[in-house]
Amino acid sequence: MTLGLAGWPGDAPPLTIALLSDIHFGNRAMDAERLDRIVGEVNAARPDLVLLAGDFMVGHDVAGASRRVAGLQAPLSRLTARLGVIAVLGNHDHWTSPTAVRAALVRAGVTMLRNEAVRRGPIAILGIDDAFSGHDDVGATLASWNRVGGIPLVLTHSPDVAPKLPGDLPLVMAGHTHCGQIVLPWIGPLLTRGPKQQWKPLYDPRYRCGVVQDRGGVVLVTAGLGSGTSPLRLGAPPDWWLIRIGAPRSTHLSAIAAAGP
């Protein structure tokens, strides 16, 4: 797929971005060994920039969060990219221990964004906090972008924030949906609602998976790496994305299967 980014400077080379989401560290589907292998795959692709779209943790409350957080720091500290590693939090991070998750990632050398933007070369990463758990602030993020400038690329956890955004943003990168996680032939995804204490739709079905054309731009929804509460996937394999941005004719998006157990 070709994606044009209007205003790309003529003297600026293309950039390669690795997008990862939904690590969900701490259950049978994601331990330090598997995360290490995924980090190795990402580093081997030699991205200019690594983006992490939230849900680093598994769980719905603080129980066991400190132990799980401790396992995140070492693998993620080994991510290497010329323009750094940038992240936002997801709903499970907010439900468990957002302060501890944020602190561990900062110690790992990750730049954390919370409804703010940061400039990296010709682009600005607009890091919008998670909409599913009610922590998004689009106005504050856009105001921050206006201060730093650059071609805007949105990084967020839940893709459902997209309709709140101006229609001229070229790319929104998100996770959260697991591409349905358990998707049966002729039936479709089985997991469509959040935990019983909330019991609201997990996502708008139009943003379930992959490359979604939306109001003149693209919403890119990765399947993510882990599996949330249940360590099971069917019909929605884990992945991470390698995104090459630059002049329209040199830009492409591709999903890469994540390392298995």
Side-chain angles (χ1 to χ4, degrees):
M1 173 184 177
T2 299
L3 174 69
L5 292 180
W8 191 267
D11 59 348
L15 297 177
T16 301
I17 298 173
L19 173 66
L20 290 69
S21 188
D22 297 273
I23 291 172
H24 286 296
F25 191 88
N27 67 8
R28 293 181 181 179
M30 183 64 69
D31 56 16
E33 183 179 354
R34 180 170 179 241
L35 186 53
D36 263 329
R37 291 200 301 273
I38 293 170
V39 166
E41 292 177 353
V42 174
N43 288 342
R46 302 180 66 183
D48 297 296
L49 179 66
V50 176
L51 302 180
L52 307 175
D55 266 10
F56 299 92
M57 297 284 278
V58 68
H60 298 90
D61 54 49
V62 73
S66 59
R67 173 181 53 81
R68 293 192 292 274
V69 166
L72 279 170
Q73 183 177 335
L76 294 183
S77 69
R78 289 189 277 277
L79 283 169
T80 58
R82 178 175 62 87
L83 297 178
V85 182
I86 298 173
V88 293
L89 295 184
N91 53 294
H92 282 270
D93 306 317
H94 283 293
W95 291 339
T96 53
S97 185
T99 301
V101 173
R102 191 176 287 112
L105 293 177
V106 169
R107 289 193 298 269
V110 177
T111 297
M112 297 299 302
L113 297 182
R114 181 166 40 180
N115 297 312
E116 57 192 320
V118 64
R119 185 74 179 262
R120 290 292 185 268
I123 63 173
I125 302 301
L126 282 60
I128 302 178
D129 210 338
D130 175 55
F132 186 78
S133 57
H135 291 84
D136 57 312
D137 189 332
V138 172
T141 308
L142 294 175
S144 178
W145 167 49
N146 287 333
R147 291 191 292 270
V148 302
I151 300 170
L153 304 180
V154 174
L155 174 67
T156 193
H157 181 62
S158 171
D160 279 8
V161 78
K164 302 180 184 180
L165 302 175
D168 57 352
L169 297 178
L171 180 61
V172 177
M173 295 166 285
H176 178 63
T177 70
H178 302 187
C179 282
Q181 187 164 328
I182 299 176
V183 183
L184 300 182
W186 303 292
I187 295 175
L190 297 185
L191 304 181
T192 60
R193 292 190 174 270
K196 289 185 179 179
Q197 61 265 38
Q198 293 188 324
W199 205 240
K200 63 179 181 178
L202 278 169
Y203 51 85
D204 185 325
R206 63 179 162 159
Y207 299 125
R208 181 174 69 85
C209 191
V211 179
V212 182
Q213 299 287 344
D214 191 64
R215 299 178 306 143
V218 168
V219 179
L220 174 58
V221 184
T222 169
L225 299 168
S227 61
T229 304
S230 172
L232 175 66
R233 278 183 180 264
L234 181 64
D239 65 27
W240 58 276
W241 283 74
L242 199 61
I243 308 163
R244 188 170 174 83
I245 60 173
R249 63 180 179 274
S250 66
T251 303
H252 68 272
L253 313 174
S254 59
I256 298 174

